[in-house]
Amino acid sequence: MKNDELFALLRRRGVLWPSAEIYGGTQGLYDYGPLGFSLKRRLEEAWAAWFVGLSHDYHLIEPAEILPEAVVRASGHLENFTDPEVTCDSCHSAFRAETILEKVRPEGVDGLAPEQIAEIVSANHLKCPTCGSLTLSVPRPFNLMFGVDWGVTGKERAYLRPETAQGSYLSFSRMWDVGRRALPLGIAVIGKAYRNEIAPRQVLFRMRAFTQAELQVFFDPAGFAVPFDRVREDSLPVLRVERRERGEETPEMIRADDLVRSGGLPEFYVYHLVHTVRFFRDVLHYPADRIRLYEKSDKERAFYNRIQFDVEVRLDSLGGYKELGAVHYRGDYDLTRHSQGSGKDLSVHPTGREPLLPHVLEMTFGVDRNIWGLADVHLGKEGERTVWKLPSYLAPVAVGVFPLIGKEHGAYALALTDELAGWGIAAQYDDGSSIGKRYARMDEAGAPFCVTVDGETLADGPAKDSVTLRQRDSRAQERVPRSELGNRILSGLRPPRPSRA
RNA sequence: GCGGGCAUAGUGUAGUCUGGUAUCACAUAGGCUUGCCAAGCCUAUAACCCGGGUUCAAAUCCCGGUGCCCGCACCA
């Protein structure tokens, strides 16, 4: 489905819509409706069940969304998110100063004042890349962070967090103290991050407020033991830098142990990469042939990232592979910076070991982007009908409950709806229009089951108190006693956890 | 930010050039009928992105704004 068509469908069904729509909408902000909110909750729960479930020592926390200026200064966001931007006075195109100066000053522009950059531009007669004029302006700072006035005087500054990860780094020493004082230690955060994007685009793909799910694993750089034997035979769809440089776009399947043995990647990294791919493939049910692990080169990744693979999924609505998650090996960059910034020694003393500064492995997941991805991949037309084939534990509605004839079976079906809701099942009663339309509505909302109360349910006989249970994907129906219904539906509603036995 | 395109009920659209009661379908709500996969009939609700201008009269022409789409740039 095309981008527009998919968004129209999601809007019509109340999955999501632009924020402040009655004022014409607000660029880069979206509201989730009933179906979208519920799907998002379940997606977050599935993520947590999987990634936090990887180890007894991985935990969820909820840090604050506002960061004091000292934090973003230490993290590098004040400096790096405030790229000097040069505009062309002729055609008004905008560029990062670093891009303009790339050829004459490969070491970058860090530490240069705007006037110094302007001097270099004029001394080298640098032209506008778009129109070729010699009319590049003096750079002005452009910051992707939202600043907020802080305190009574409003003179102090704070910032909305541009990524959730910072809260995990800030909480690390507290988590060390309240925990087992052992490495590895994983800290997971699910929450909003905010970026004042220049050009928000493609609905949920570049938003100004978005939800991230991130797991930061702190580990001893001298050794991070993982049960690698359990993943060594998995094959991963990787597109490595050398292959990309040959012009290849498609990934090749490489076994996990080969990625370690001849691929030069550490076991702990590949182990988590395998589990990340399993999550996308086995939990979210993205088709295996749509998933690609895209390795970022030295130039493409942030300087502190030692290894970076983006998890990409091919989406028809956006015409190609899109980044839906990533696995970063960040070294000790974050704790070093915050040790310096705070003046507090963040190194730890594991029992029987010398003090050390842990390294960080980061797994990031774009929650909103994956809601779009799940719609792109699983929501589609099958002949006349539109079906959203969500994994059952993600479906916002688990079961639709219908009376075959409203007047005769309505009361029974309503009572049954309440009973199922009491089991914690998202059950939705519908007696509108015809039975066929009710099935169609539920297919579109992604409900894995529909239950219909009919004459046999009420009549004395062998089928008394049984109903028909209809499966979304196969459309097959079977007769099920009311007493078994709760368990039948409930069994598919728990998201999978990784096996770690 | 730049260039191009677009904006009409919940959704998709006709009408815009050539100003004069805004078209159709689906969806939604109610009724009759039917009774296990979007059936049929009747009824109802429902729209010209916002602001200004020209005109007796603006969805239509003019100016300004906002939003969306595509490409470029940006996305440590």
Side-chain angles (χ1 to χ4, degrees):
Chain A
M1 235 186 270
K2 278 299 299 172
N3 195 4
D4 287 1
E5 192 185 353
L6 190 56
F7 188 39
L9 179 57
L10 295 176
R11 225 173 22 215
R12 179 167 59 77
R13 287 305 312 240
V15 177
L16 62 102
W17 52 77
S19 289
E21 208 175 1
I22 59 170
Y23 285 91
T26 310
Q27 244 186 336
L29 298 178
Y30 293 88
D31 295 349
Y32 286 100
L35 291 180
F37 174 74
S38 177
L39 169 59
K40 184 162 179 265
R41 273 276 171 96
R42 289 171 206 275
L43 179 57
E44 289 167 359
E45 277 168 20
W47 181 87
W50 188 263
F51 283 95
V52 179
L54 284 171
S55 162
H56 292 293
D57 296 310
Y58 295 175
H59 308 280
L60 268 170
I61 67 168
E62 185 178 289
E65 297 191 359
I66 297 179
L67 301 172
E69 186 162 52
V71 170
V72 294
R73 187 176 294 122
S75 70
H77 285 96
L78 204 55
E79 188 185 326
N80 293 318
F81 258 50
T82 314
D83 284 336
E85 188 175 76
V86 178
T87 54
C88 172
D89 291 333
S90 297
C91 69
H92 305 291
S93 299
F95 311 92
R96 290 173 58 214
E98 195 173 333
T99 312
I100 298 285
L101 299 191
E102 204 169 24
K103 292 216 172 83
V104 297
R105 198 184 160 85
E107 66 270 32
V109 298
D110 289 356
L112 290 181
E115 296 74 28
Q116 291 174 295
I117 292 173
E119 272 173 38
I120 298 172
V121 168
S122 64
N124 290 280
H125 305 292
L126 295 178
K127 293 173 184 167
C128 169
T130 301
C131 69
S133 308
L134 287 163
T135 51
L136 294 173
S137 69
V138 173
R140 59 187 170 80
F142 179 81
N143 197 312
L144 254 51
M145 285 193 295
F146 288 103
V148 292
D149 294 335
W150 184 255
V152 180
T153 62
K155 284 179 186 163
E156 293 168 78
R157 292 295 281 173
Y159 296 86
L160 298 182
R161 62 183 178 194
E163 61 177 17
T164 56
Q166 292 305 319
S168 299
Y169 307 140
L170 298 176
S171 301
F172 171 70
S173 78
R174 172 66 64 186
M175 287 290 287
W176 176 263
D177 285 337
V178 302
R180 294 173 47 232
R181 294 175 169 256
L183 297 176
L185 168 63
I187 304 181
V189 174
I190 299 173
K192 291 267 189 182
Y194 304 87
R195 295 182 188 178
N196 192 10
E197 295 285 357
I198 300 170
R201 284 279 172 89
Q202 298 181 318
V203 196
L204 299 185
F205 265 76
R206 200 179 312 158
M207 301 198 290
R208 290 198 163 117
F210 56 101
T211 301
Q212 295 184 305
E214 300 192 309
L215 169 64
Q216 315 290 323
V217 182
F218 300 82
F219 63 94
D220 182 346
F224 182 174
V226 293
F228 192 73
D229 279 342
R230 269 189 262 129
V231 303
R232 69 167 59 249
E233 293 182 5
D234 271 47
S235 285
L236 297 179
V238 295
L239 180 56
R240 304 212 60 173
V241 171
E242 313 87 74
R243 187 174 166 86
R244 285 175 48 205
E245 283 168 352
R246 295 200 302 269
E248 286 284 344
E249 288 291 317
T250 54
E252 54 184 337
M253 298 303 291
I254 302 181
R255 268 172 60 123
D257 46 10
D258 287 334
L259 283 171
V260 172
R261 201 165 46 226
S262 51
L265 299 173
E267 280 193 356
F268 75 85
Y269 187 89
V270 175
Y271 174 81
H272 286 88
L273 204 54
V274 168
H275 276 104
T276 300
V277 168
R278 286 182 181 176
F279 180 69
F280 278 85
R281 191 190 56 204
D282 302 337
V283 180
L284 303 186
H285 294 182
Y286 288 114
D289 61 8
R290 285 180 178 269
I291 303 172
R292 176 172 91 173
L293 295 172
Y294 188 93
E295 185 180 24
K296 288 293 181 80
S297 68
D298 292 352
K299 281 194 172 175
E300 291 167 326
R301 61 180 188 259
F303 67 91
Y304 48 77
N305 273 337
R306 303 182 182 196
I307 307 172
Q308 174 176 353
F309 282 84
D310 286 348
V311 183
E312 297 188 324
V313 176
R314 203 176 66 245
L315 300 179
D316 296 334
S317 63
L318 299 175
Y321 284 96
K322 302 299 283 186
E323 177 194 350
L324 300 186
V327 181
H328 305 143
Y329 176 23
R330 299 173 66 120
D332 61 4
Y333 173 79
D334 304 285
L335 291 187
T336 300
R337 295 288 297 226
H338 284 304
S339 282
Q340 291 165 353
S342 64
K344 183 170 176 176
D345 181 8
L346 295 178
S347 60
V348 297
H349 302 212
T351 313
R353 296 284 320 270
E354 290 297 303
L356 63 97
L357 196 62
H359 281 200
V360 169
L361 177 69
E362 174 186 62
M363 276 148 280
T364 72
F365 180 80
V367 176
D368 312 280
R369 287 181 169 196
N370 276 279
I371 286 179
W372 188 268
L374 290 167
D376 178 286
V377 165
H378 296 307
L379 178 58
K381 293 211 163 88
E382 282 188 1
E384 282 284 289
R385 67 183 200 136
T386 304
V387 200
W388 199 353
K389 294 190 169 178
L390 284 170
S392 52
Y393 38 83
L394 295 181
V397 178
V399 56
V401 185
F402 316 140
L404 188 59
I405 303 170
K407 283 174 193 155
E408 293 175 29
H409 313 125
Y412 191 100
L414 265 175
L416 181 57
T417 308
D418 283 344
E419 182 190 317
L420 293 171
W423 284 70
I425 295 168
Q428 204 168 85
Y429 175 82
D430 188 0
D431 61 6
S433 52
S434 69
I435 190 82
K437 283 191 184 174
R438 294 176 216 156
Y439 284 135
R441 274 196 282 259
M442 285 299 152
D443 285 343
E444 215 173 66
F449 297 108
C450 290
V451 159
T452 300
V453 174
D454 58 18
E456 291 181 57
T457 312
L458 303 182
D460 285 329
K464 183 167 169 53
D465 283 324
S466 71
V467 294
T468 59
L469 181 68
R470 179 256 198 190
Q471 312 254 1
R472 177 193 63 202
D473 297 349
S474 64
R475 303 207 286 171
Q477 287 188 51
E478 61 178 312
R479 198 125 203 125
V480 176
R482 178 172 177 169
S483 56
E484 291 175 20
L485 202 56
N487 279 328
R488 279 293 300 275
I489 296 169
L490 214 48
S491 64
L493 298 186
R494 288 241 156 257
R497 295 174 163 273
S499 83
R500 55 185 187 194

